[in-house]
Amino acid sequence: MIRYDNIHKVFGDLEVLKGISFEIGTGEVVCILGPSGSGKTTLLRCTNFLEIPTRGKVTIADLTVDAEHFTKEQVNQLRRHSTMVFQNYNLFRNMTALENVMECLVTVQKKPKAEAREIAEHFLNQVGMGQRMDYYPSQLSGGQQQRVGIARGLALNPHAILFDEPTAALDPELVGEVLNTMKEVAKSGITMAVVTHEMGFARDVADRVVFMDGGVVVEQGKPEEVFDHPQNERTRQFLRAVTTRG
């Protein structure tokens, strides 16, 4: 479970998040939609305090952290409860796919290398990268690198996995392989928060979609409700625009 309680984020004179409150249930897949600049990625980064909210509370599983009163240990615990898959993969260039997945298991979770290797191999196989474990990032396509990133996140056994526009940096022909991997991850029952511009994925896979604009939640509901019967005019404008582009 992830819960946002009145999350605000201010950068200088710019208020990017203006009191976000909603919950993602355990095992639920929620896609966060909205135009560029609406605050989606900032909210996702506030989830594990990669960006520290100006005020408000974030809860993951049984841990609640108050942005105005927190300790370093609380933030570390929050990050152990979740993991993030970034747009640009964030793989170590000097490590193989296997070593990239093993790294946090060994250095953060202090697992023996043999155990870390077994876990890493399992999840690389799960995302279809078992034949390329010994490849370096420079030898992999963007889609393959992103699948390694997903395996790395899953290997940490988090309560929730956060996806920040995971297909945004990919060539169009590589998007499908990553979305298919994410669909398989969704079937595993892990809690997922996905910032995405992939409307088809949101419609097909999400249990719920949240539409943001101007730093607030404008509308949320089941995909068929929001896509087929949007209640807010701003949602209708956005969906018309992305449909026209498609």
Side-chain angles (χ1 to χ4, degrees):
M1 181 267 287
I2 302 171
R3 186 171 65 243
Y4 302 103
D5 248 339
N6 195 32
I7 299 296
H8 291 254
K9 180 61 182 179
V10 177
F11 294 99
D13 296 328
L14 179 64
E15 188 175 19
V16 177
L17 299 177
K18 304 174 182 178
I20 301 291
S21 296
F22 67 91
E23 185 173 307
I24 300 173
T26 300
E28 189 177 22
V29 179
V30 171
C31 285
I32 304 171
L33 314 177
S36 297
S38 59
K40 309 182 301 296
T41 291
T42 299
L43 178 65
L44 204 68
R45 291 174 65 84
C46 284
T47 308
N48 56 9
F49 277 45
L50 288 179
E51 291 287 356
I52 299 173
T54 304
R55 67 178 188 273
K57 297 177 182 179
V58 174
T59 300
I60 302 181
D62 58 354
L63 175 67
T64 298
V65 181
D66 187 332
E68 296 180 279
H69 307 283
F70 65 89
T71 65
K72 183 177 180 180
E73 177 55 28
Q74 285 178 315
V75 171
N76 288 338
Q77 288 182 38
L78 198 68
R79 291 174 181 169
R80 284 195 288 269
H81 282 332
S82 66
T83 190
M84 184 174 284
V85 175
F86 298 90
Q87 289 184 32
N88 295 309
Y89 329 132
N90 282 26
L91 300 181
F92 295 108
R93 312 305 295 177
N94 63 335
M95 294 184 181
T96 64
L98 180 64
E99 290 167 340
N100 264 282
V101 179
M102 288 177 60
E103 178 67 12
C104 279
L105 294 170
V106 173
T107 60
V108 177
Q109 295 191 350
K110 307 300 183 186
K111 294 186 182 297
K113 283 191 175 181
E115 181 183 354
R117 183 185 183 93
E118 184 178 346
I119 293 168
E121 289 178 349
H122 169 78
F123 285 105
L124 284 165
N125 278 309
Q126 184 174 316
V127 301
M129 291 298 293
Q131 300 303 311
R132 289 177 169 79
M133 292 185 191
D134 296 326
Y135 285 44
Y136 289 89
S138 62
Q139 299 172 301
L140 301 173
S141 71
Q144 290 168 340
Q145 290 182 64
Q146 192 60 289
R147 284 190 280 157
V148 173
I150 292 170
R152 178 179 57 188
L154 292 170
L156 294 171
N157 192 31
H159 175 82
I161 188 164
L162 316 172
F163 293 87
D164 181 17
E165 298 191 31
T167 61
L170 298 178
D171 291 333
E173 67 267 24
L174 300 177
V175 168
E177 68 183 73
V178 172
L179 293 179
N180 287 335
T181 299
M182 291 171 64
K183 289 177 183 178
E184 292 304 310
V185 172
K187 291 177 185 176
S188 73
I190 193 169
T191 305
M192 292 171 57
V194 185
V195 169
T196 185
H197 291 293
E198 299 291 339
M199 298 298 115
F201 176 85
R203 181 187 280 273
D204 294 344
V205 179
D207 298 302
R208 192 156 42 93
V209 296
V210 173
F211 174 66
M212 289 180 60
D213 189 39
V216 300
V217 172
V218 175
E219 187 166 348
Q220 61 177 303
K222 293 181 179 179
E224 60 270 23
E225 294 170 349
V226 175
F227 283 110
D228 298 335
H229 306 288
Q231 299 301 301
N232 189 281
E233 177 57 27
R234 182 66 189 94
T235 313
R236 290 193 285 270
Q237 290 172 356
F238 174 78
L239 292 174
R240 280 197 297 269
V242 297
T243 303
T244 301
R245 287 202 303 270

